[in-house]
């Protein structure tokens, strides 16, 4: 991959702590999904698995390469890096947690709806239609910074963005088939990723 820069231990610790929070939020979402009353699937698109895998490749590229811990833990750069990484990771974990809670029984890894599905427009979904993918992007950026691999984002971000765009297209097809005009009205007033922009 690209050249890397030295990092400090505080940034790696910040990423580790944030990673535990993020994985905890993911596990909690999975548990809530398992505890939800069973219902038949409504609309489904299994092709979204391909885009999930490609998103993972993009995230993996962001952190690929050797990590060089060469900065004193109390150095200004190391502490600044740690603060940035922790803010990004905390934001990712909280955004993922709030989003998956707002989705409730509707949350799933693969693009699908349930027979008893409702269109979720509250919580983070009131501001962007895909807050979980924004959370994953924050995770990816935090990892690149923590590992001293920010230049990897030149490849990782386009890969992640393409996979996310394709995954969103798949999910929107499912949502339009399930909710019709209600989804179109929601999509017309709420941006996909950045409020008021895109």
């Amino acid at each position: 991959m690209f050249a890397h820069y030295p990092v400090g231990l505080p940034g790696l610790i910040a990423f580790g702590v944030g990673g535990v929070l993020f994985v905890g939020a993911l596990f909690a979402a999975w548990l809530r999904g398992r505890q939800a009353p069973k219902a038949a699937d409504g609309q489904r698109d299994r092709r979204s698995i391909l885009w999930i895998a490609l998103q993972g490749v993009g995230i993996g590229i962001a952190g690929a390469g050797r990590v060089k811990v060469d900065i004193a833990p109390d150095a200004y750069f190391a502490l600044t890096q740690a603060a940035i990484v922790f803010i990004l990771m905390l934001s990712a974990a909280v955004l993922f947690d709030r989003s998956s809670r707002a989705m409730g029984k509707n949350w799933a890894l693969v693009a699908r709806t349930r027979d008893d599905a409702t269109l979720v427009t509250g919580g983070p979904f009131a501001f962007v239609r895909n807050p979980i993918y924004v959370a994953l992007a924050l995770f990816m950026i935090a990892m690149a910074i923590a590992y001293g691999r920010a230049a990897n984002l030149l490849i990782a971000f386009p890969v992640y963005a393409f996979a996310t765009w394709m995954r969103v297209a798949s999910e929107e097809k499912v949502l339009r088939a399930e909710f019709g005009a209600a989804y179109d009205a929601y999509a017309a007033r709420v941006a996909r990723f950045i409020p008021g922009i895109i």
Side-chain angles (χ1 to χ4, degrees), residues 47-69:
R47 289 174 299 176
S48 63
I49 293 172
L50 171 64
W51 309 122
I52 292 167
L54 193 55
Q55 281 178 311
V57 169
I59 293 169
I61 290 170
R66 187 167 62 98
V67 176
K68 188 176 179 182
V69 183

Side-chain angles (χ1 to χ4, degrees), residues 22-116:
F22 192 89
V23 169
L26 179 61
F27 184 68
W30 177 79
L31 278 180
R32 284 191 299 275
R34 294 199 36 98
Q35 294 168 353
K38 297 297 179 193
D41 282 345
Q43 301 292 322
R44 176 182 285 268
D45 185 353
R46 292 188 185 278
R47 289 174 299 176
S48 63
I49 293 172
L50 171 64
W51 309 122
I52 292 167
L54 193 55
Q55 281 178 311
V57 169
I59 293 169
I61 290 170
R66 187 167 62 98
V67 176
K68 188 176 179 182
V69 183
D70 272 358
I71 301 174
D74 59 348
Y76 176 77
F77 180 80
L79 297 175
T80 302
Q81 179 192 45
I84 291 168
V85 168
F86 187 71
I87 289 167
L88 288 169
M89 287 301 290
L90 184 61
S91 299
V94 170
L95 184 56
F96 181 91
D97 184 63
R98 297 268 170 89
S99 301
S100 63
R101 286 180 188 277
M103 290 185 77
K105 64 187 178 185
N106 298 307
W107 185 80
L109 191 61
V110 177
R112 64 116 173 113
T113 59
R114 296 163 47 111
D115 277 351
D116 60 349

Side-chain angles (χ1 to χ4, degrees), residues 20 37 84 150 162 164 171 178 180 195:
V20 168
I84 291 168
F162 172 75
T164 300
E171 291 174 354
E178 184 76 21

